[in-house]
Amino acid sequence: MEAVFATLVGLFFTAAIYLMLSKFSIRIMLGIAILGNAVNLLLFTAGRVTREVPPIIPAGADTLGMDAANPLPQALILTAIVISFSFLAFLLVLTYRAYQDLKTDNTGEMRVAEPDERPMPPLGY
């Protein structure tokens, strides 16, 4: 089962990097969302995917059994989901406001602070 998840994580990372290299802000935002999901799935897979034994320490033992799932990556994933959702909401608002002001989502056309006729940089000091 871990091999399937590892392949899926690789596909998610590939798709996320491809989308983040785009020059359209909506695609960049979707790439960041997929990247967050890829990292969450990577953490989940690192914590051993098992259903046989819940991550509860039995009475009279000091540690988890070897066949139990590790609960720490699951707790980290819950935190990461909340953080990535809030970051995605911020990016959505930022992208929407940029589209409202500039009437484009192409990052190449969002250069309003740069003049069209740029002077030459200094050649020496």
Side-chain angles (χ1 to χ4, degrees), residues 26-107:
I26 297 296
R27 289 183 183 176
I28 294 170
M29 188 178 62
L30 289 174
I32 290 172
I34 292 173
L35 181 69
N37 289 331
V39 170
N40 290 342
L41 188 60
L42 179 69
L43 284 174
F44 182 70
T45 305
R48 291 191 307 260
V49 182
T50 59
R51 283 196 220 168
E52 288 80 25
V53 180
I56 298 173
I57 298 175
D62 292 335
T63 60
L64 282 174
M66 290 303 295
D67 54 347
N70 190 356
L72 182 62
Q74 296 172 8
L76 289 174
I77 290 169
L78 287 176
T79 305
I81 288 171
V82 172
I83 291 170
S84 65
F85 180 73
S86 63
F87 184 62
L88 186 64
F90 171 73
L91 284 179
L92 182 64
V93 170
L94 187 68
T95 303
Y96 181 67
R97 287 291 298 148
Y99 181 76
Q100 276 184 335
D101 288 346
L102 303 171
K103 304 293 187 241
T104 183
D105 69 336
N106 187 344
T107 57

